[in-house]
């Protein structure tokens, strides 16, 4: 065989190998990593996204002024540097000039032919101005709007329908952004890593005609990955964005998120390295060979009794207090997967100005077990609502059914036959929807902090938030939150937490432990406290 034929064979074999490597989802420059999720997203519009899987995808496919590093601190994203005025109210950000939106061929259906020549796909300061205005606009109903409330006029725009153009954000030029605040905010840089602070290209958003973020071709990404596949109820694929110009190299070729709610199957697939990462509970890890995984615990959930203050019986503060006063639990009666008794409403991992919130705020006003006072409050409460007895269901998930039965026995032992309570077991998602819609009397509810900022967690129980978890409305509480935002002190936040405790709106029972785990042969996948903060940019196979 002559040299030409040999060369032809070698080239042909190389092409075949390249094709099969591409089909397998791997390339010489990285591999595919897999993680299970509970559902596929409904919307990948960063200013609207609310579920964990939506926020996880956005954290990897979009990039704001800053991104969270592996040690949990904000690091440069689209911003390369910033300065702050002496009074702490004006931030000026310089943006990288080579940051681009990743363009897909399918965009011609939306933008028309030759769209690459007609549209500017650089990420500019105007993209942030447009995004921030959308985030705080009441019409957008963003779940993360509160993250931007320290920006000048943001709260008024969100609550009072003030024009978004009044927001204290402006583009000085294409690559210089200025943000003016109403008050100094030590958490600003961290909040600028949130979904609400992701940029949005106005021309593309307008061209989608209300469909922005609803499919691959209606989503425009600027992060380490771009959305390449999205199948309802099946999976999502994120592929390395070769247009990404951030400070870190994107190591994987792609990431697949597969819908799987079978806890036993998830555990087995992580242990066998079929999945590279997952969230597991204490119960799932009980008999697992932990040498096959790397695990990171986090306490971001406080399982609590939630009272509907509009309910016939629980509209009475005295009835609510009576139930709280006989709801004490000790460590001997805790479920096996529980780490500790609650120290307050705010989960243990939450922070304020970089410090652990509980340490900064001090001890919470927890109700202590007192049978005598419980009986007194109960009798006074019955007279107040002109009732001979109270009868209600306690909503809970199957996981905590026995816990609620134990609490009901305690209530009935102390308060007698005038209290009639029963357990109503619901799926977790149904439970959350019923509580959010106010369709409950009393619920045992997992209060999950979706981010570390204690202020934003307490805002989620307020009408000031677009994400009012408990359907709770109280002008006094809203006023305290406004004051806490302006004072920016831990003691002011503690007043908000203690108001909920003193008024028996929430009775925290215990902290729940979860784990983020990675398979033995995977490294570099990092997680920061919340289920949506999983980052794959550094993911590699161990050598």
């Amino acid at each position: 065989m002559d040299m030409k034929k040999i060369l032809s064979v070698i080239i042909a074999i190389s092409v075949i190998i390249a094709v099969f490597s591409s089909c397998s989802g791997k390339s010489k420059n990285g591999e595919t990593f897999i993680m299970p999720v509970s559902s596929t997203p409904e919307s990948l519009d960063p200013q609207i996204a609310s579920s964990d899987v939506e926020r996880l995808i956005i954290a990897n496919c979009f990039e704001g002024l800053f991104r969270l590093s592996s040690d949990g601190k904000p690091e440069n994203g689209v911003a390369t540097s910033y300065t702050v005025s002496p009074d702490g109210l004006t931030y000026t950000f310089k943006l990288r000039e080579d940051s681009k939106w990743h363009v897909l061929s399918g965009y011609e259906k939306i933008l028309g032919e030759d769209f690459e020549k007609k549209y500017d796909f650089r990420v500019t300061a105007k993209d942030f101005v447009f995004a921030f205005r959308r985030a705080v606009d009441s019409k957008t109903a963003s779940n993360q709007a509160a993250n931007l409330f320290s920006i000048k006029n943001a709260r008024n725009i969100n609550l009072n329908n003030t024009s978004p153009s009044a927001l204290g954000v402006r583009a000085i030029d294409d690559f210089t952004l200025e943000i003016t605040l109403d008050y100094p905010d030590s958490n600003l840089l961290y909040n600028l890593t949130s979904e609400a602070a992701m940029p949005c290209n106005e021309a593309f958003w307008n061209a989608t005609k209300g469909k922005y973020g609803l499919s691959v071709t209606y989503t425009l990404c600027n992060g380490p990955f771009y959305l390449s596949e999205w199948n309802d109820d099946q999976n999502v694929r994120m592929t390395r964005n070769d247009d990404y110009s951030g400070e870190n190299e994107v190591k994987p070729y792609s990431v697949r998120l597969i819908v799987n709610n079978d806890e036993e199957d998830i555990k087995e697939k992580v242990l066998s390295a079929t999945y590279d990462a997952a969230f597991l509970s204490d119960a799932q890890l009980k008999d697992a060979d932990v040498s096959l995984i790397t695990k990171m615990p986090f306490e971001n959930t406080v399982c609590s009794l939630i009272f509907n203050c509009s309910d016939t019986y629980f509209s009475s503060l005295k009835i609510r207090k009576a139930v709280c006063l006989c709801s004490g639990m000790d460590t001997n009666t805790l479920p096996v997967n529980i780490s500790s008794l609650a120290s307050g409403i705010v989960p243990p991992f939450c922070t304020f100005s970089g410090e652990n919130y509980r340490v900064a705020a001090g001890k919470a006003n927890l109700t202590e077990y007192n049978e005598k006072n419980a009986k007194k409050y109960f009798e006074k409460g019955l007279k107040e609502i002109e009732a001979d007895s109270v009868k209600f269901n306690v909503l809970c998930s199957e996981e905590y059914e026995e816990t609620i039965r134990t609490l009901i026995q305690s209530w009935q032992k102390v308060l007698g036959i005038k209290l009639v309570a029963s357990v109503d077991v619901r799926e977790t998602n149904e439970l959350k929807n019923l509580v959010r819609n106010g369709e409950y009397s009393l619920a045992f509810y997992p209060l999950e902090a979706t981010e570390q900022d204690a202020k934003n967690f307490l805002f989620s129980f307020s009408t000031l938030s677009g994400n009012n978890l408990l359907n709770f409305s109280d002008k006094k509480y809203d006023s305290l939150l406004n004051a806490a935002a302006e004072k920016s002190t831990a003691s002011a936040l503690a007043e908000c937490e203690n108001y909920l405790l003193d008024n028996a709106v929430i009775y925290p029972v215990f902290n729940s432990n979860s784990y983020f785990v990675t398979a033995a042969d995977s490294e570099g996948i990092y997680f920061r406290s919340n289920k949506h903060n999983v980052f794959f940019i550094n993911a590699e196979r161990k050598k």
Side-chain angles (χ1 to χ4, degrees):
M1 185 180 291
D2 61 30
M3 188 58 71
K4 269 189 177 182
K5 288 184 178 180
I6 293 173
L7 187 57
S8 298
V9 170
I10 292 172
I11 292 172
I13 291 172
S14 299
V15 169
I16 291 170
I17 291 172
V19 168
F20 277 95
S21 295
S22 176
C23 291
S24 69
K26 298 182 180 182
S27 78
K28 63 181 181 181
N29 295 321
E31 300 195 46
T32 292
F33 290 79
I34 303 174
M35 179 178 172
V37 292
S38 60
S39 64
T40 50
E42 292 184 9
S43 171
L44 292 176
D45 177 342
Q47 278 70 50
I48 294 176
S50 59
S51 71
D52 286 330
V53 66
E54 290 168 355
R55 299 173 72 185
L56 185 154
I57 294 167
I58 288 165
N60 287 276
C61 289
F62 288 81
E63 184 145 285
L65 296 169
F66 295 90
R67 58 180 291 110
L68 282 181
S69 67
S70 57
D71 62 3
K73 296 179 181 178
E75 65 178 3
N76 288 343
V78 177
T80 59
S81 64
Y82 70 96
T83 57
V84 187
S85 62
D87 61 4
L89 295 179
T90 302
Y91 286 69
T92 304
F93 302 90
K94 297 300 294 184
L95 312 187
R96 60 180 74 253
E97 297 186 14
D98 57 353
S99 185
K100 300 176 183 177
W101 294 102
H102 183 75
V103 179
L104 300 175
S105 58
Y107 289 164
E108 62 188 21
K109 296 178 182 178
I110 304 169
L111 303 175
E113 293 184 6
D114 297 327
F115 67 89
E116 290 178 284
K117 297 178 181 178
K118 297 176 183 177
Y119 288 87
D120 183 358
F121 287 104
R122 299 175 302 166
V123 178
T124 68
K126 290 180 181 178
D127 295 329
F128 286 96
V129 173
F130 181 66
F132 288 15
R133 287 177 177 178
R134 284 192 66 229
V136 300
D137 190 340
S138 58
K139 296 176 183 176
T140 304
S142 172
N143 290 299
Q144 302 298 311
N147 285 327
L148 305 178
F149 274 7
S150 62
I151 298 177
K152 187 176 181 180
N153 296 324
R155 186 183 288 106
N156 288 335
I157 293 167
N158 188 257
L159 301 178
N160 303 322
N161 294 316
T162 301
S163 172
S165 63
L167 187 68
V169 179
R170 70 185 182 103
I172 294 176
D173 57 42
D174 283 346
F175 303 108
T176 308
L177 181 75
E178 182 183 87
I179 297 179
T180 304
L181 307 182
D182 274 327
Y183 50 85
D185 182 0
S186 57
N187 283 320
L188 179 66
L189 299 188
Y190 180 86
N191 288 335
L192 292 179
T193 69
S194 71
E195 298 78 33
M198 296 299 108
C200 182
N201 183 286
E202 185 174 5
F204 185 84
W205 185 85
N206 286 332
T208 64
K209 298 178 180 179
K211 296 181 181 180
Y212 182 63
L214 297 183
S215 71
V216 170
T217 53
Y218 286 108
T219 305
L220 188 62
C221 303
N222 75 313
F225 301 89
Y226 69 92
L227 189 67
S228 57
E229 186 178 345
W230 179 358
N231 299 319
D232 289 343
D233 300 323
Q234 294 180 41
N235 69 84
V236 170
R237 183 186 290 272
M238 303 182 291
T239 299
R240 179 173 55 223
N241 178 6
D242 291 330
D243 289 326
Y244 179 68
S245 60
E247 296 183 359
N248 300 300
E249 175 192 358
V250 186
K251 294 180 179 178
Y253 173 72
S254 69
V255 178
R256 286 183 64 206
L257 303 177
I258 298 177
V259 176
N260 188 349
N261 287 296
D262 186 329
E263 292 186 354
E264 187 62 27
D265 186 56
I266 291 172
K267 180 184 77 172
E268 294 305 321
K269 285 182 176 177
V270 172
L271 293 174
S272 66
T274 302
Y275 290 161
D276 296 285
F279 290 98
L280 300 179
S281 65
D282 266 327
Q284 287 172 284
L285 287 174
K286 185 177 180 182
D287 300 316
D289 183 354
V290 293
S291 67
L292 300 176
I293 56 174
T294 300
K295 64 176 184 175
M296 179 187 294
F298 62 104
E299 286 185 321
N300 72 329
T301 302
V302 178
C303 294
S304 308
L305 290 170
I306 307 297
F307 295 88
N308 184 347
C309 298
S310 299
D311 179 74
T312 301
Y313 300 118
F314 294 122
S315 59
S316 168
L317 173 60
K318 294 181 177 63
I319 297 290
R320 300 198 303 270
K321 278 185 171 289
V323 173
C324 292
L325 284 162
C326 54
S327 291
M329 297 187 74
D330 59 44
T331 53
N332 295 322
T333 57
L334 288 176
V336 294
N337 62 324
I338 298 310
S339 56
S340 59
L341 288 168
S343 56
I345 295 173
V346 178
F349 92 103
C350 282
T351 60
F352 175 80
S353 296
E355 183 180 3
N356 179 272
Y357 167 76
R358 188 83 279 143
V359 173
K363 187 177 179 181
N365 294 349
L366 296 175
T367 300
E368 296 184 4
Y369 187 87
N370 190 311
E371 294 184 9
K372 183 178 179 181
N373 286 344
K375 291 175 182 177
K376 285 183 179 179
Y377 273 112
F378 191 61
E379 291 301 325
K380 290 179 179 179
L382 289 176
K383 291 180 180 178
E384 183 178 79
I385 63 175
E386 299 180 344
D388 296 325
S389 62
V390 299
K391 184 177 181 179
F392 57 90
N393 293 333
V394 185
L395 298 181
C396 71
S397 60
E398 184 178 1
E399 183 179 5
Y400 298 119
E401 181 178 359
E402 289 307 312
T403 299
I404 297 307
R405 293 193 186 281
T406 299
L407 283 173
I408 289 175
Q409 289 173 4
S410 177
W411 301 338
Q412 292 176 332
K413 175 185 174 182
V414 175
L415 304 177
I417 60 174
K418 292 182 180 181
L419 183 142
V420 181
S422 58
V423 182
D424 186 355
V425 177
R426 302 295 182 105
E427 292 290 331
T428 301
N429 287 336
E430 183 184 10
L431 168 66
K432 290 183 177 182
N433 286 332
L434 289 170
V435 170
R436 187 187 296 273
N437 295 329
E439 299 172 19
Y440 72 106
S441 296
L442 179 58
F444 191 68
Y445 189 92
L447 291 176
E448 181 181 358
T450 58
E451 53 190 280
Q452 283 189 291
D453 190 341
K455 172 175 65 66
N456 291 339
F457 176 73
L458 290 170
F459 260 97
S460 68
F461 310 134
S462 165
T463 57
L464 299 176
S465 168
N467 187 31
N468 191 338
L469 295 177
L470 310 181
N471 197 45
F472 174 62
S473 178
D474 187 299
K475 291 182 179 180
K476 174 65 175 176
Y477 183 63
D478 291 350
S479 176
L480 287 171
L481 282 174
N482 276 327
E486 293 177 6
K487 293 177 182 176
S488 195
T489 63
S491 59
L493 271 187
E495 284 187 58
C496 303
E497 181 184 25
N498 287 328
Y499 181 83
L500 296 174
L501 292 168
D502 294 343
N503 286 276
V505 177
I506 299 171
Y507 179 84
V509 182
F510 49 71
N511 302 316
S512 178
N513 232 2
S514 295
Y515 295 87
F516 176 68
V517 302
T518 54
D521 70 340
S522 302
E523 64 182 357
I525 305 171
Y526 66 94
F527 155 77
R528 299 310 309 172
S529 303
N530 313 303
K531 289 184 177 180
H532 60 269
N533 277 341
V534 181
F535 300 90
F536 291 91
I537 188 171
N538 297 330
E540 292 183 292
R541 300 277 180 225
K542 292 181 180 178
K543 297 178 181 179

